[in-house]
Amino acid sequence: MKIIFLGAPGAGKGTQSKRLVREKHLLQISTGDILRENRDNQTELGLKAQTYMDAGELVPDHLIIKMIFDKMDDTSHVNGYILDGFPRTVAQAEALDDMLAKIHDKIDFVLYLKVANENLIERLSSRYTCKKCGHIYNLNFNPPKNEGKCDLDGGDLFQRRDDKKETVTKRIKIYDDNTRPVIRHYKAKNMVQTIDGYGGVDEIFAKILEAISS
Ligand code: AP5
C-alpha cells in the first residue's frame, strides 16, 4: 500500500501517519522528520536545509527529490509506505510520477486532510513532540498526562522551532501558493480522497481507514 498524505501545516498528517504505521505496518517517510534529523546531526543536507526550515520556507526541490528517492529505494522490506510532506510542489509531484512510471509502480491513495487555515495556528502553537519516539501532543486537544513528558516512554517533549506564530503564518501562505496546486495535480488524475480533518484523532483515523478500505 502506497499512500501520499496531503494537507496544510498542522492538518494532522504526522499524527495520522503514525497511527496508520502502527495499524498497517507501513513505513512513514516524513520529509520534515528526515530533514530535522539531518539538521540536528549537522549533515551536509541538514546544513543546507536549516535556514529554509527555520524561516518556514520550502527546501529547494532538487535536495528534497534526491533525499526522498534515496529513502524510497530502501522500501522493499515493508508492506508499503506513507509519503508525509512530499510532494509539496508540482515539480516534486511530476518528478515522483516520472520515477514511479520508470519502475512500473504507482501510488494507491492520495489522502487530503482538509482543515481551514484559521484553525492551524492554534494547533501548531500548542504542539509538543517527544524527543525519543516522535509522538505528537497538543496542550489544548491531546495533552500529555505529565507535563513535559511523553505518556509512551517518558521522553522529554519539545516545541518545534518553526511553530512560532509568524513562521506558521508564512508556512500557511507557502502551502497555499505551492502545495494547493499539488492537490489539483492529483485531482486531475482522479486520485484524491478528501478527509474532513475536524473531530477527535480517533474519529479522523476511522474516516481514513474507511477511505482506504473503500
Ligand atoms: P513538515 O515537518 O512536513 O511540516 P508541515 O507539513 O508544515 O506539517 P506539520 O508537521 O507542521 O503538521 P502535520 O500536518 O504533520 O500536523 P501534526 O500531526 O503534527 O515540514 C517542515 C519543514 O521542512 C517545511 O516548512 C520545509 O522547510 C521543509 N520541508 C518538508 N518537506 C518538504 C518538501 N517536500 N519540500 C520542501 N521543503 C520541505 O498536528 C499538528 C498539531 O495538531 C499537533 O499538536 C496535534 O496533536 C494536533 N492535532 C492533530 N490532529 C488533531 C485534531 N483532529 N484535532 C485537534 N488537534 C489535532
Side-chain angles (χ1 to χ4, degrees), residues 99-213:
M99 188 275 277
L100 291 173
K102 268 188 203 136
I103 59 169
H104 307 288
D105 204 351
K106 66 175 182 58
I107 294 294
D108 300 298
F109 301 101
V110 178
L111 302 177
Y112 164 40
L113 211 45
K114 190 172 177 183
V115 175
N117 286 1
E118 52 269 27
N119 298 97
L120 302 171
I121 295 176
E122 189 193 1
R123 283 191 183 190
L124 290 175
S125 55
S126 47
R127 166 169 60 187
Y128 281 80
T129 309
C130 174
K131 262 187 194 155
K132 268 196 201 168
C133 70
H135 192 74
I136 301 166
Y137 294 88
N138 190 288
L139 295 191
N140 298 328
F141 303 109
N142 55 334
K145 291 193 184 83
N146 298 309
E147 198 183 322
K149 296 285 176 196
C150 178
D151 295 349
L152 305 182
D153 58 18
D156 289 332
L157 304 185
F158 73 97
Q159 193 163 27
R160 272 174 43 178
R161 291 188 208 174
D162 57 351
D163 279 350
K164 284 184 287 212
K165 192 175 173 194
E166 60 278 17
T167 318
V168 168
T169 309
K170 191 165 169 189
R171 284 163 60 203
I172 294 171
K173 164 94 176 76
I174 288 175
Y175 167 81
D176 283 339
D177 293 344
N178 295 274
T179 312
R180 284 196 188 278
V182 175
I183 300 170
R184 291 198 286 276
H185 172 88
Y186 287 114
K187 277 194 172 163
K189 293 170 183 278
N190 224 359
M191 288 174 71
V192 177
Q193 306 213 38
T194 301
I195 313 278
D196 178 0
Y198 294 100
V201 170
D202 291 343
E203 195 184 322
I204 295 166
F205 187 61
K207 289 183 215 166
I208 290 171
L209 289 183
E210 197 186 317
I212 289 174
S213 63

Side-chain angles (χ1 to χ4, degrees), residues 63-90:
L63 293 176
I64 294 291
I65 290 167
K66 178 172 181 339
M67 176 186 94
I68 206 94
F69 288 1
D70 286 349
K71 195 80 185 172
M72 285 169 75
D73 257 354
D74 189 25
T75 51
S76 52
H77 60 291
V78 287
N79 274 343
Y81 53 76
I82 304 167
L83 295 178
D84 166 11
F86 178 89
R88 237 173 166 101
T89 63
V90 172

Side-chain angles (χ1 to χ4, degrees), residues 38-54:
N38 274 277
R39 183 190 61 194
D40 295 347
N41 293 329
Q42 295 284 285
T43 65
E44 195 186 334
L45 170 65
L47 290 170
K48 283 181 185 157
Q50 71 180 1
T51 327
Y52 298 100
M53 295 171 71
D54 291 350

